[in-house]
Every structure is written in structure tokens, then in C-alpha cells.
């Protein structure tokens, strides 16, 4: 082992120390930025005259989009990187890869996949009379869905993952039956019926959304920036 001269050793220690301090500072700034943005939700909702749910979706969506753009910079991949962040850098307890059975079944019916939709309906029954239900009671992972619907392409199935549906909520502004969410806990994902059509709308609980963002920030801190990333989960 080569023993460095005092001056050289001092320079090396200074460089390493500076690197550690800068890294810690960057992480602290990132965490503070997310916390500050989350704190805007209540005030923003009142100032913009929007529902609490809309404010949550807008702020949370902007944070996730910014974190994703930091890891995968560039144009024309907003959806892919938004979803990638949520499936690769979020605690699995949030179930971001979970497939929405009610919305997927409606899609199958619209596209003429009647036997597959019927099979899903037999496996996960739902009452026409209920106005809300919890995702944990109805939704499933990709393996379960492909077992029941082996002929449906995986790319179709993943469109109905929580991660991708949250992107739709953010970007497409799907209207949710805000006044009919009392039965859905704030820390869960659930569904409410649209009064005019009786079709299901997905609803992401406020606490679930906040915790999702915190998890994404924490787990993506050490992620490597990849400008030419092409192995998207949503593909």
C-alpha cells in the first residue's frame, strides 16, 4: 500500500469529505423539497377552488413527474418514466403493479373480450347495488390476471396498474365522485360509482398518495440517471 505524502493525503481527504457533504446536502434538499410541496396541498386546493382530492392528485403528480424526469431525462417519455418510478422505486406495500379488476373488466367488454370479462366477473364478483368498494377486495396481481385471461396481451393488462391509472388521474383529469368516498379509508385505493352512468371510478386515498411520494423520494435517492433507458415496465 502506497503511503501518501501529507499534502496529497490532505487533498484526498478534503475531496472525499466535500463529496460526502455535497451528497448529504443534495439529499436533504430533495427531501425538504418534497415535504414543502406536499405541504402546499391544503392551501393550494383552497386558493384554486378545487376539491381536496384534485389538489392531492395535482401536487402528488407533479412531484412524481419531477422525480421521474430527474432519473430519465428527455422528451416523449412522461408516462413511461412516471410509471417506472412507481414500480421500481416505491415500497411494494403500495401495490403499484396491482391491476384494477373493475376497470380492466370494463375495458375488455368495450373491446369485445366478453369471455375474458365474464371470467373476471366470476372470479371477483361485485354488487350492482353498492356505491363503493375497496381495491384490496377486488384487485389482483398480474399473474392472477394472466392466468384467467391468457390471450390478453400483457401491455393491455399493465395499462390498468395502479401506477398507470394514477398517471391518467394526473394527466387526463378523470372526474371522481368526490362526494361518495366516505367508505374508502384515506390510506387505501378504492372505487366509487359515477352517479350518472353507474360506472366505476378509481380513487386514491390522500394518505396513500402522500406516503407513496415519500417512499418514491427515499428509494430513488441512489438511482442512476439513464438518458437512454429503454426497458420500460409499461411496454
Amino acid at each position: 500500500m502506497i503511503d501518501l505524502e501529507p499534502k496529497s493525503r490532505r487533498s484526498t481527504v478534503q475531496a472525499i469529505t466535500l463529496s460526502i457533504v455535497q451528497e448529504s446536502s443534495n439529499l436533504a434538499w430533495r427531501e425538504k423539497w418534497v415535504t414543502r410541496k406536499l405541504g402546499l396541498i391544503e392551501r393550494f386546493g383552497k386558493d384554486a377552488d378545487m376539491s381536496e382530492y384534485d389538489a392531492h392528485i395535482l401536487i402528488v403528480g407533479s412531484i412524481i413527474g419531477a422525480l421521474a424526469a430527474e432519473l430519465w431525462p428527455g422528451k416523449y417519455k412522461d408516462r413511461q418514466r412516471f410509471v417506472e418510478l412507481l414500480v421500481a422505486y416505491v415500497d411494494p406495500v403500495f401495490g403499484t403493479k396491482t391491476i384494477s379488476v373493475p376497470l380492466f373488466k370494463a375495458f375488455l367488454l368495450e373491446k369485445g373480450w366478453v369471455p375474458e370479462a365474464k371470467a373476471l366477473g366470476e372470479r371477483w364478483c361485485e354488487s350492482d347495488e353498492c356505491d363503493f368498494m375497496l381495491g384490496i377486495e377486488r384487485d389482483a396481481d398480474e399473474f392472477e390476471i394472466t392466468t384467467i385471461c391468457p390471450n390478453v396481451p400483457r401491455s393491455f393488462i399493465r395499462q390498468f396498474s395502479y401506477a398507470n391509472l394514477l398517471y391518467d388521474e394526473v394527466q387526463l383529469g378523470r372526474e371522481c365522485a368526490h362526494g361518495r368516498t366516505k367508505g374508502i379509508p384515506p390510506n387505501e385505493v378504492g372505487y366509487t360509482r359515477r352517479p350518472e352512468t353507474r360506472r366505476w371510478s378509481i380513487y386514491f386515498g390522500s394518505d396513500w398518495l402522500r406516503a407513496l411520494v415519500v417512499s418514491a423520494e427515499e428509494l430513488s435517492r441512489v438511482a442512476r440517471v439513464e438518458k437512454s433507458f429503454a426497458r420500460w415496465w409499461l411496454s
Side-chain angles (χ1 to χ4, degrees):
M1 179 177 179
I2 299 176
D3 187 19
L4 298 175
E5 293 294 326
K7 184 176 181 180
S8 177
R9 185 165 60 246
R10 187 180 303 113
S11 298
T12 301
V13 172
Q14 287 176 343
I16 294 174
T17 302
L18 179 61
S19 174
I20 293 174
V21 169
Q22 287 178 335
E23 182 179 1
S24 299
S25 177
N26 288 336
L27 292 180
W29 178 88
R30 199 168 182 259
E31 183 178 8
K32 289 178 181 177
W33 178 79
V34 168
T35 302
R36 188 169 64 252
K37 289 295 184 183
L38 287 176
L40 291 174
I41 290 176
E42 285 77 12
R43 191 177 71 208
F44 181 79
K46 294 177 181 177
D47 293 344
D49 192 26
M50 62 171 58
S51 73
E52 182 180 348
Y53 182 74
D54 288 333
H56 268 92
I57 289 293
L58 187 59
I59 297 296
V60 164
S62 67
I63 296 172
I64 294 173
L67 294 176
E70 183 182 38
L71 296 185
W72 301 285
K75 298 180 179 179
Y76 314 119
K77 48 189 170 185
D78 285 349
R79 181 185 292 272
Q80 288 90 340
R81 66 191 179 196
F82 184 101
V83 172
E84 195 71 29
L85 179 73
L86 294 185
V87 300
Y89 295 103
V90 166
D91 192 312
V93 72
F94 292 97
T96 52
K97 295 181 182 180
T98 301
I99 307 301
S100 166
V101 172
L103 301 188
F104 182 53
K105 188 177 77 169
F107 166 81
L108 292 176
L109 288 172
E110 289 177 358
K111 297 300 180 181
W113 298 71
V114 178
E116 287 77 7
K118 183 178 179 181
L120 284 179
E122 292 174 350
R123 173 63 178 81
W124 291 280
C125 301
E126 60 189 59
S127 172
D128 292 332
E129 297 179 357
C130 69
D131 289 324
F132 73 89
M133 59 186 179
L134 301 180
I136 196 171
E137 299 171 347
R138 293 289 183 274
D139 296 332
D141 61 32
E142 185 179 317
F143 177 77
E144 291 179 278
I145 299 296
T146 53
T147 299
I148 296 174
C149 308
N151 297 322
V152 179
R154 185 182 66 179
S155 59
F156 286 0
I157 296 173
R158 290 186 174 182
Q159 288 178 25
F160 295 89
S161 63
Y162 286 176
N164 192 53
L165 291 172
L166 179 56
Y167 181 86
D168 285 341
E169 290 278 282
V170 173
Q171 298 298 323
L172 305 180
R174 290 181 179 176
E175 296 180 359
C176 185
H178 304 299
R180 307 176 69 87
T181 58
K182 293 181 180 179
I184 302 175
N187 62 337
E188 294 195 38
V189 178
Y191 299 89
T192 60
R193 286 194 187 275
R194 296 174 184 264
E196 67 279 9
T197 64
R198 299 294 294 166
R199 297 189 63 173
W200 291 112
S201 288
I202 196 165
Y203 176 85
F204 296 98
S206 57
D207 291 348
W208 187 91
L209 287 169
R210 287 173 179 268
L212 182 77
V213 168
V214 172
S215 180
E217 189 279 319
E218 290 178 349
L219 297 187
S220 65
R221 290 175 185 174
V222 296
R224 184 163 52 96
V225 175
E226 298 187 73
K227 294 183 179 180
S228 58
F229 188 80
R231 303 181 303 276
W232 303 111
W233 183 82
L234 190 68
S235 60

